[in-house]
Protein backbone atom coordinates (compact mmCIF):
# COMPACT_ATOMS: atom_id res chain seq x y z
CA UNK A 1 0.00 0.00 0.00
CA UNK A 2 1.39 3.33 -1.06
CA UNK A 3 1.17 6.02 1.61
CA UNK A 4 0.83 9.47 0.09
CA UNK A 5 0.92 12.73 2.00
CA UNK A 6 1.16 15.46 -0.60
CA UNK A 7 -1.63 16.61 -2.93
CA UNK A 8 0.71 16.77 -5.91
CA UNK A 9 1.95 13.23 -5.34
CA UNK A 10 -1.66 12.05 -4.97
CA UNK A 11 -2.62 13.72 -8.24
CA UNK A 12 0.37 12.18 -10.08
CA UNK A 13 -0.50 8.73 -8.70
CA UNK A 14 -4.10 9.19 -9.86
CA UNK A 15 -2.95 10.34 -13.31
CA UNK A 16 -0.81 7.22 -13.59
CA UNK A 17 -3.70 4.94 -12.70
CA UNK A 18 -5.95 6.68 -15.18
CA UNK A 19 -3.17 6.54 -17.80
CA UNK A 20 -3.14 2.77 -17.44
CA UNK A 21 -6.91 2.64 -17.85
CA UNK A 22 -7.49 1.77 -14.19
CA UNK A 23 -10.68 2.98 -12.52
CA UNK A 24 -10.11 4.62 -9.14
CA UNK A 25 -12.45 3.89 -6.23
CA UNK A 26 -12.28 6.23 -3.26
CA UNK A 27 -13.34 6.03 0.40
CA UNK A 28 -12.86 9.23 2.41
CA UNK A 29 -12.69 8.74 6.19
CA UNK A 30 -11.57 10.39 9.40
CA UNK A 31 -9.81 7.21 10.52
CA UNK A 32 -10.15 5.09 13.67
CA UNK A 33 -11.44 2.52 11.24
CA UNK A 34 -14.12 -0.04 12.01
CA UNK A 35 -15.98 -2.62 9.96
CA UNK A 36 -18.36 0.03 8.61
CA UNK A 37 -15.43 1.74 6.92
CA UNK A 38 -14.17 -1.61 5.73
CA UNK A 39 -17.49 -2.39 4.04
CA UNK A 40 -17.06 0.82 2.04
CA UNK A 41 -13.61 -0.36 0.93
CA UNK A 42 -15.12 -3.64 -0.24
CA UNK A 43 -17.77 -1.82 -2.26
CA UNK A 44 -15.11 0.45 -3.79
CA UNK A 45 -13.04 -2.62 -4.64
CA UNK A 46 -16.00 -4.23 -6.42
CA UNK A 47 -16.45 -1.16 -8.61
CA UNK A 48 -12.91 -0.07 -9.36
CA UNK A 49 -9.42 -1.36 -10.15
CA UNK A 50 -7.49 0.69 -7.60
CA UNK A 51 -8.79 1.72 -4.19
CA UNK A 52 -7.72 4.84 -2.34
CA UNK A 53 -8.69 5.50 1.28
CA UNK A 54 -8.07 8.89 2.84
CA UNK A 55 -7.72 9.56 6.54
CA UNK A 56 -8.07 13.19 7.52
CA UNK A 57 -9.66 14.55 10.68
CA UNK A 58 -11.00 17.65 8.99
CA UNK A 59 -10.93 20.66 11.32
CA UNK A 60 -13.37 22.59 9.08
CA UNK A 61 -16.27 20.28 9.84
CA UNK A 62 -16.01 20.55 13.63
CA UNK A 63 -17.71 23.37 15.50
CA UNK A 64 -15.82 25.42 18.09
CA UNK A 65 -17.06 23.35 21.05
CA UNK A 66 -16.93 19.96 19.36
CA UNK A 67 -14.52 17.05 19.65
CA UNK A 68 -11.85 17.86 17.03
CA UNK A 69 -8.99 17.68 19.53
CA UNK A 70 -10.06 14.47 21.17
CA UNK A 71 -11.44 12.71 18.09
CA UNK A 72 -10.00 9.15 18.34
CA UNK A 73 -6.90 8.55 16.23
CA UNK A 74 -4.99 5.30 15.63
CA UNK A 75 -2.93 5.66 12.48
CA UNK A 76 -0.87 2.51 13.02
CA UNK A 77 -3.96 0.35 13.59
CA UNK A 78 -5.66 1.95 10.57
CA UNK A 79 -2.69 1.30 8.30
CA UNK A 80 -2.63 -2.33 9.36
CA UNK A 81 -6.35 -2.71 8.70
CA UNK A 82 -6.08 -1.14 5.26
CA UNK A 83 -3.07 -3.32 4.38
CA UNK A 84 -5.10 -6.36 5.37
CA UNK A 85 -7.79 -5.53 2.82
CA UNK A 86 -5.26 -4.69 0.11
CA UNK A 87 -6.00 -1.00 -0.30
CA UNK A 88 -3.75 0.41 -3.04
CA UNK A 89 -3.11 3.87 -1.65
CA UNK A 90 -3.62 5.59 1.68
CA UNK A 91 -3.89 9.37 1.34
CA UNK A 92 -3.00 11.30 4.47
CA UNK A 93 -3.28 14.98 3.62
CA UNK A 94 -1.40 17.30 5.92
CA UNK A 95 -3.55 19.97 7.48
CA UNK A 96 -1.01 22.71 6.76
CA UNK A 97 -0.99 21.82 3.07
CA UNK A 98 -4.75 21.35 2.80
CA UNK A 99 -5.54 24.58 4.66
CA UNK A 100 -2.50 26.85 4.29
CA UNK A 101 -2.48 30.37 5.69
CA UNK A 102 -4.72 32.53 3.51
CA UNK A 103 -7.10 29.67 2.66
CA UNK A 104 -10.51 31.26 2.06
CA UNK A 105 -12.51 29.17 -0.41
CA UNK A 106 -15.36 26.94 0.70
CA UNK A 107 -18.07 24.92 -1.01
CA UNK A 108 -21.57 25.30 0.37
CA UNK A 109 -24.64 23.28 -0.51
CA UNK A 110 -27.68 25.24 0.58
CA UNK A 111 -31.10 23.75 1.26
CA UNK A 112 -30.36 20.13 2.17
CA UNK A 113 -27.86 21.21 4.82
CA UNK A 114 -30.23 23.51 6.71
CA UNK A 115 -32.27 21.01 8.74
CA UNK A 116 -31.44 17.91 10.81
CA UNK A 117 -27.75 18.09 11.85
CA UNK A 118 -27.45 21.53 10.21
CA UNK A 119 -29.50 23.06 13.03
CA UNK A 120 -27.09 22.18 15.84
CA UNK A 121 -24.00 22.08 13.57
CA UNK A 122 -24.46 25.11 11.28
CA UNK A 123 -20.96 25.04 9.72
CA UNK A 124 -20.52 21.27 9.62
CA UNK A 125 -21.66 20.49 6.08
CA UNK A 126 -19.75 23.40 4.58
CA UNK A 127 -16.65 21.81 6.10
CA UNK A 128 -17.61 18.42 4.71
CA UNK A 129 -18.30 19.60 1.16
CA UNK A 130 -15.16 21.71 1.11
CA UNK A 131 -12.94 18.83 2.17
CA UNK A 132 -14.66 16.31 -0.10
CA UNK A 133 -14.28 18.66 -3.07
CA UNK A 134 -10.58 19.04 -2.27
CA UNK A 135 -10.18 15.28 -1.83
CA UNK A 136 -11.90 14.62 -5.16
CA UNK A 137 -9.53 17.05 -6.89
CA UNK A 138 -6.54 15.27 -5.33
CA UNK A 139 -7.63 11.62 -5.72
CA UNK A 140 -9.46 12.02 -9.06
CA UNK A 141 -11.76 9.04 -8.38
CA UNK A 142 -14.20 7.52 -10.86
CA UNK A 143 -16.35 6.31 -7.99
CA UNK A 144 -16.57 7.30 -4.30
CA UNK A 145 -18.38 5.39 -1.57
CA UNK A 146 -20.26 7.06 1.30
CA UNK A 147 -22.14 5.39 4.16
CA UNK A 148 -25.89 5.70 4.56
CA UNK A 149 -25.28 6.16 8.26
CA UNK A 150 -24.45 9.80 7.52
CA UNK A 151 -27.57 10.17 5.42
CA UNK A 152 -27.63 13.96 5.26
CA UNK A 153 -23.95 13.95 4.29
CA UNK A 154 -24.66 11.51 1.44
CA UNK A 155 -27.53 13.65 0.12
CA UNK A 156 -25.37 16.77 0.42
CA UNK A 157 -22.43 15.21 -1.46
CA UNK A 158 -24.77 13.97 -4.18
CA UNK A 159 -26.16 17.48 -4.56
CA UNK A 160 -22.67 18.98 -4.72
CA UNK A 161 -21.57 16.46 -7.36
CA UNK A 162 -24.63 17.23 -9.50
CA UNK A 163 -24.50 20.98 -9.05
CA UNK A 164 -20.76 21.32 -9.70
CA UNK A 165 -20.55 18.60 -12.39
CA UNK A 166 -17.96 16.49 -10.61
CA UNK A 167 -17.29 13.47 -12.82
CA UNK A 168 -17.56 11.05 -9.87
CA UNK A 169 -20.15 8.35 -9.30
CA UNK A 170 -21.41 8.45 -5.69
CA UNK A 171 -22.26 5.01 -4.30
CA UNK A 172 -24.20 4.61 -1.03
CA UNK A 173 -23.19 1.87 1.43
CA UNK A 174 -25.55 0.15 3.91
CA UNK A 175 -25.20 0.89 7.61
CA UNK A 176 -23.01 -1.69 9.37
CA UNK A 177 -24.20 -2.38 12.91
CA UNK A 178 -23.05 -4.04 16.08
CA UNK A 179 -24.92 -7.26 16.97
CA UNK A 180 -27.37 -5.28 19.15
CA UNK A 181 -28.09 -2.86 16.32
CA UNK A 182 -25.97 0.14 17.33
CA UNK A 183 -24.55 1.69 14.17
CA UNK A 184 -20.77 1.38 14.14
CA UNK A 185 -19.08 4.72 14.63
CA UNK A 186 -15.64 5.91 15.65
CA UNK A 187 -17.41 7.98 18.31
CA UNK A 188 -18.78 4.83 19.99
CA UNK A 189 -15.30 4.68 21.59
CA UNK A 190 -16.35 7.61 23.81
CA UNK A 191 -19.15 5.59 25.47
CA UNK A 192 -18.79 4.21 28.99
CA UNK A 193 -20.13 0.64 29.44
CA UNK A 194 -23.43 2.06 30.81
CA UNK A 195 -23.72 4.51 27.93
CA UNK A 196 -22.87 1.80 25.40
CA UNK A 197 -25.71 -0.27 26.80
CA UNK A 198 -28.12 2.68 26.67
CA UNK A 199 -27.08 3.52 23.09
CA UNK A 200 -28.93 0.48 21.78
CA UNK A 201 -32.08 2.57 22.39
CA UNK A 202 -31.40 4.48 19.18
CA UNK A 203 -31.71 1.42 16.95
CA UNK A 204 -34.66 0.16 19.01
CA UNK A 205 -36.44 3.48 18.43
CA UNK A 206 -35.84 3.27 14.68
CA UNK A 207 -36.96 -0.35 14.63
CA UNK A 208 -40.21 0.57 16.36
CA UNK A 209 -40.92 3.37 13.92
CA UNK A 210 -40.18 1.00 11.07
CA UNK A 211 -42.48 -1.66 12.52
CA UNK A 212 -45.31 0.90 12.72
CA UNK A 213 -44.61 1.84 9.11
CA UNK A 214 -44.60 -1.82 8.05
CA UNK A 215 -47.94 -2.24 9.83
CA UNK A 216 -49.38 0.50 7.62
CA UNK A 217 -48.85 3.75 9.54
CA UNK A 218 -48.08 6.55 7.08
CA UNK A 219 -48.56 9.69 9.23
CA UNK A 220 -45.07 11.12 9.69
CA UNK A 221 -45.88 12.70 13.05
CA UNK A 222 -47.07 9.39 14.50
CA UNK A 223 -44.03 7.52 13.12
CA UNK A 224 -41.79 10.21 14.57
CA UNK A 225 -43.53 9.97 17.94
CA UNK A 226 -43.09 6.20 18.09
CA UNK A 227 -39.33 6.66 17.80
CA UNK A 228 -39.15 9.75 20.02
CA UNK A 229 -41.25 8.18 22.80
CA UNK A 230 -38.92 5.20 22.93
CA UNK A 231 -35.81 7.36 22.95
CA UNK A 232 -37.22 9.70 25.62
CA UNK A 233 -37.54 6.73 27.93
CA UNK A 234 -34.01 5.44 27.24
CA UNK A 235 -31.53 5.94 30.10
CA UNK A 236 -28.69 8.49 29.79
CA UNK A 237 -30.15 9.67 26.48
CA UNK A 238 -31.18 13.15 25.34
CA UNK A 239 -32.78 13.70 21.95
CA UNK A 240 -31.25 16.29 19.63
CA UNK A 241 -33.81 15.58 16.92
CA UNK A 242 -36.10 12.86 15.62
CA UNK A 243 -37.57 13.68 12.22
CA UNK A 244 -39.25 12.03 9.29
CA UNK A 245 -37.99 13.65 6.08
CA UNK A 246 -38.16 13.05 2.36
CA UNK A 247 -35.21 10.85 1.37
CA UNK A 248 -34.20 13.11 -1.51
CA UNK A 249 -34.98 16.69 -0.45
CA UNK A 250 -34.67 16.12 3.33
CA UNK A 251 -37.77 18.31 3.74
CA UNK A 252 -40.16 17.24 6.54
CA UNK A 253 -43.10 15.21 5.25
CA UNK A 254 -46.64 14.86 6.58
CA UNK A 255 -47.45 11.52 5.00
CA UNK A 256 -44.97 8.93 3.78
CA UNK A 257 -45.94 8.42 0.15
CA UNK A 258 -42.42 8.39 -1.31
CA UNK A 259 -39.17 7.09 0.22
CA UNK A 260 -38.53 8.88 3.51
CA UNK A 261 -36.10 8.44 6.37
CA UNK A 262 -36.55 8.55 10.11
CA UNK A 263 -33.43 10.42 11.18
CA UNK A 264 -32.21 10.55 14.76
CA UNK A 265 -29.49 12.46 16.57
CA UNK A 266 -29.19 11.85 20.30
CA UNK A 267 -26.70 12.47 23.05
CA UNK A 268 -25.88 9.39 25.07
CA UNK A 269 -24.05 10.89 28.00
CA UNK A 270 -22.08 13.62 26.25
CA UNK A 271 -21.58 11.67 23.01
CA UNK A 272 -23.73 12.72 20.08
CA UNK A 273 -24.72 9.78 17.88
CA UNK A 274 -26.73 9.71 14.66
CA UNK A 275 -28.64 6.97 12.91
CA UNK A 276 -31.51 6.59 10.49
CA UNK A 277 -33.80 4.16 8.81
CA UNK A 278 -35.39 4.19 5.37
CA UNK A 279 -39.16 4.07 5.06
CA UNK A 280 -39.94 2.98 1.52
CA UNK A 281 -43.60 2.57 0.58
CA UNK A 282 -42.47 0.36 -2.33
CA UNK A 283 -40.92 -2.26 -0.05
CA UNK A 284 -40.89 -2.53 3.72
CA UNK A 285 -38.01 -4.89 4.50
CA UNK A 286 -36.98 -4.80 8.16
CA UNK A 287 -33.89 -2.78 9.11
CA UNK A 288 -31.95 -5.91 10.07
CA UNK A 289 -28.91 -5.66 12.26
CA UNK A 290 -26.01 -6.41 10.01
CA UNK A 291 -23.47 -8.79 11.35
CA UNK A 292 -19.87 -7.65 11.17
CA UNK A 293 -18.12 -8.73 8.02
CA UNK A 294 -15.63 -11.51 8.65
CA UNK A 295 -12.21 -10.31 7.64
CA UNK A 296 -9.48 -12.50 9.01
CA UNK A 297 -6.49 -10.16 9.25
CA UNK A 298 -8.52 -7.14 10.24
CA UNK A 299 -8.94 -8.42 13.78
CA UNK A 300 -5.18 -8.49 14.32
CA UNK A 301 -4.95 -4.74 13.87
CA UNK A 302 -6.85 -3.83 17.01
CA UNK A 303 -4.39 -1.70 18.92
CA UNK A 304 -6.55 0.52 21.09
CA UNK A 305 -9.74 -1.37 21.69
CA UNK A 306 -11.16 -0.23 18.36
CA UNK A 307 -12.44 -2.85 16.01
P1 LIG B 1 -16.08 8.93 9.13
O1 LIG B 1 -14.73 8.31 9.33
O2 LIG B 1 -16.95 8.90 10.34
O3 LIG B 1 -15.99 10.29 8.48
O4 LIG B 1 -16.82 8.01 8.07
C1 LIG B 1 -16.26 7.76 6.81
C2 LIG B 1 -17.29 7.08 5.94
O5 LIG B 1 -17.69 5.86 6.55
C3 LIG B 1 -18.58 7.90 5.76
O6 LIG B 1 -19.02 7.76 4.42
C4 LIG B 1 -19.53 7.26 6.72
O7 LIG B 1 -20.88 7.40 6.35
C5 LIG B 1 -19.10 5.81 6.63
N1 LIG B 1 -19.52 5.07 7.82
C6 LIG B 1 -19.26 5.37 9.11
N2 LIG B 1 -19.85 4.47 9.94
C7 LIG B 1 -20.49 3.59 9.15
C8 LIG B 1 -21.29 2.44 9.38
N3 LIG B 1 -21.55 2.01 10.62
N4 LIG B 1 -21.79 1.78 8.33
C9 LIG B 1 -21.53 2.20 7.06
N5 LIG B 1 -20.79 3.28 6.76
C10 LIG B 1 -20.28 3.97 7.78
Amino acid sequence: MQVIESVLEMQRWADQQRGHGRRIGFVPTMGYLHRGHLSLVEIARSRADSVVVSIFVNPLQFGANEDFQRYPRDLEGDRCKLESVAVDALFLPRSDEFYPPGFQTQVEVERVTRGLCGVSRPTHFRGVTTVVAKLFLAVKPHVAVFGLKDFQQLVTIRRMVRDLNFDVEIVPAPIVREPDGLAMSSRNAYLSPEERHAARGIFEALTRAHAAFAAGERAAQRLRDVAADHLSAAPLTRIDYVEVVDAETLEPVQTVERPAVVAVAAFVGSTRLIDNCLLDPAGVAQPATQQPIAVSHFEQCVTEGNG
Side-chain angles (χ1 to χ4, degrees):
M1 180 173 72
Q2 190 125 357
V3 179
I4 298 174
E5 293 193 10
S6 94
V7 173
L8 193 61
E9 199 191 330
M10 188 68 245
Q11 288 168 329
R12 293 296 82 88
W13 188 91
D15 289 343
Q16 250 175 21
Q17 300 297 312
R18 284 178 167 257
H20 289 112
R22 293 175 70 82
R23 282 173 57 81
I24 301 173
F26 179 40
V27 179
T29 82
M30 297 204 299
Y32 211 65
L33 302 177
H34 51 67
R35 292 181 197 82
H37 295 115
L38 190 72
S39 73
L40 273 56
V41 171
E42 290 184 346
I43 292 169
R45 163 80 54 221
S46 72
R47 290 172 169 260
D49 304 301
S50 300
V51 176
V52 182
V53 173
S54 65
I55 296 179
F56 182 60
V57 183
N58 173 34
L60 277 193
Q61 71 190 69
F62 288 80
N65 299 316
E66 295 183 355
D67 55 342
F68 174 67
Q69 292 298 343
R70 72 179 195 114
Y71 194 84
R73 292 162 169 90
D74 177 20
L75 190 52
E76 276 321 298
D78 288 349
R79 274 173 82 140
C80 176
K81 288 169 186 171
L82 295 174
E83 299 262 13
S84 78
V85 291
V87 162
D88 298 279
L90 169 59
F91 182 38
L92 300 171
R94 290 190 313 268
S95 206
D96 57 346
E97 192 195 7
F98 240 30
Y99 301 125
F103 180 86
Q104 54 190 287
T105 305
Q106 296 212 42
V107 178
E108 183 151 12
V109 175
E110 294 184 339
R111 283 194 299 282
V112 296
T113 62
R114 294 279 183 263
L116 303 177
C117 290
V119 175
S120 60
R121 308 187 75 193
T123 59
H124 170 68
F125 290 108
R126 191 175 61 199
V128 169
T129 40
T130 300
V131 80
V132 171
K134 285 177 69 73
L135 289 166
F136 281 178
L137 291 166
V139 175
K140 307 190 185 190
H142 296 81
V143 45
V145 188
F146 289 84
L148 282 158
K149 176 178 160 291
D150 299 275
F151 192 82
Q152 190 174 15
Q153 169 172 284
L154 173 68
V155 170
T156 300
I157 299 292
R158 282 213 146 119
R159 193 69 257 168
M160 176 186 83
V161 162
R162 282 192 208 127
D163 290 352
L164 298 184
N165 306 108
F166 276 97
D167 191 11
V168 181
E169 182 191 357
I170 303 300
V171 175
I175 302 174
V176 176
R177 300 179 178 281
E178 301 285 359
D180 69 351
L182 177 66
M184 290 193 176
S185 164
S186 307
R187 289 190 168 99
N188 292 349
Y190 296 147
L191 301 171
S192 70
E194 296 74 26
E195 290 165 348
R196 170 64 189 82
H197 188 73
R200 65 196 304 163
I202 296 173
F203 181 68
E204 288 168 1
L206 291 171
T207 306
R208 283 173 189 230
H210 192 277
F213 177 74
E217 182 61 79
R218 292 291 181 272
Q221 184 67 41
R222 282 206 282 276
L223 293 164
R224 184 226 163 253
D225 288 349
V226 167
D229 289 349
H230 185 77
L231 261 187
S232 310
L236 306 171
T237 303
R238 178 168 60 84
I239 293 173
D240 182 3
Y241 64 75
V242 180
E243 287 194 46
V244 178
V245 297
D246 183 272
E248 201 174 328
T249 64
L250 302 185
E251 296 289 337
V253 295
Q254 302 234 308
T255 312
V256 181
E257 288 159 344
R258 303 175 1 88
V261 289
V262 195
V264 169
F267 289 90
V268 180
S270 59
T271 302
R272 186 174 177 281
L273 300 175
I274 58 172
D275 200 348
N276 67 83
C277 162
L278 182 69
L279 305 177
D280 186 354
V284 286
Q286 284 296 326
T289 63
Q290 211 171 323
Q291 292 307 313
I293 307 157
V295 178
S296 51
H297 302 305
F298 188 73
E299 305 302 333
Q300 297 165 10
C301 302
V302 176
T303 57
E304 293 176 7
N306 181 34

